[in-house]
Amino acid sequence: MNLMGGIVYRDPERPVGVELLRAMAARVPGASEPLLTTSGSIGLLCARGGKAPKRYQAAVAATDLDLVNFQELRALTGLSRSCDVLVRLYELEGWQCLRRLRGAFAVALWDPRQRALWLGVDHFGLRRLYYAATPDAFAFASRPSALLAVPGVNGAVDPAIVYQYLNLDCVPAPASVFEGVRRLPPGHMLSLRDGVPAVTPYWDLDYPEKRLGLRAGAAATAQMVEEAVAATL
């Protein structure tokens, strides 16, 4: 089972211990021994399919990527490893680099120069990230149960969300089944500065007013289908 996550303490002088990161991974059934990295008041983890967290001069990064345009991004950056590519794109374009990613992804970037955390998930939520805030810390993970290992997170089941699940067969973002845990919606990013999270969309469905004719619309649809199929081969 893929797992990525992390924690940022509000006190910049308080170091993150690897014991807490291991406890987060232990709350997820089937998660393998996590790969960990800590840098002062932040710690990141990945288990199984995710890439091991990497520390760079510009950022500390953890990723879970399955991109259909990775070769294009490799050519653009001149780099070959997914974490290297992502950090280089961040150096060039900031958080707007998320708009270049096509496919399934969940990413976390910690910028030590700005003391800012950036989270992002793909356009349709094929990869997920959940988060929780306490008086002492901000934590996130790709599995909500991992956050229950963080002291202060309210793990009570939300009856209203259970009702939604039984009626809709899903839990719509940004809610989660736990009262103290939220889910990052598809096509959104989260920035954390000074302990304050802000969620904003980086992408949305576009419905232009100008409509194509039948022939032009059919040609445009065929071209997009060909491009999408070619990108996945």
Side-chain angles (χ1 to χ4, degrees), residues 118-133:
W118 305 92
L119 306 178
V121 292
D122 60 76
H123 306 71
F124 296 103
L126 299 176
R127 297 288 191 272
R128 299 184 177 188
L129 284 177
Y130 299 83
Y131 61 94

Side-chain angles (χ1 to χ4, degrees), residues 1 3 8 12 29-30 43 47 59 61 65 68 71 76 95 154 166 176 181:
M1 176 178 290
L3 172 66
V8 181
L65 306 175
V68 299
Q71 297 305 318
L76 176 66
W95 67 264
N154 182 1
L166 294 175
S176 86
V181 176

Side-chain angles (χ1 to χ4, degrees), residues 91-223:
E91 291 175 332
L92 294 172
E93 302 177 356
W95 67 264
Q96 298 187 41
C97 69
L98 291 177
R99 293 175 174 152
R100 288 190 177 272
L101 307 184
R102 295 179 59 191
F105 62 84
V107 299
L109 281 165
W110 168 255
D111 187 332
R113 300 165 300 181
Q114 302 183 44
R115 284 199 52 80
L117 175 70
W118 305 92
L119 306 178
V121 292
D122 60 76
H123 306 71
F124 296 103
L126 299 176
R127 297 288 191 272
R128 299 184 177 188
L129 284 177
Y130 299 83
Y131 61 94
T134 74
D136 297 324
F138 176 89
F140 67 94
S142 55
R143 307 285 175 172
S145 59
L147 299 174
L148 303 185
V150 178
V153 171
N154 182 1
V157 174
D158 189 337
I161 300 304
V162 174
Y163 176 83
Q164 288 188 7
Y165 177 77
L166 294 175
N167 281 273
L168 304 176
D169 199 28
C170 70
V171 177
S176 86
V177 72
F178 302 114
E179 291 184 355
V181 176
R182 307 291 282 174
R183 176 187 162 199
L184 187 60
H188 281 63
M189 56 157 288
L190 181 149
S191 61
L192 181 76
R193 295 176 182 270
D194 299 322
V196 179
V199 177
T200 55
Y202 67 85
W203 176 86
D204 199 358
L205 290 172
D206 184 25
Y207 298 96
E209 292 295 325
K210 183 179 179 180
R211 296 180 180 274
L212 297 175
L214 180 60
R215 183 169 298 177
T221 301
Q223 180 180 353

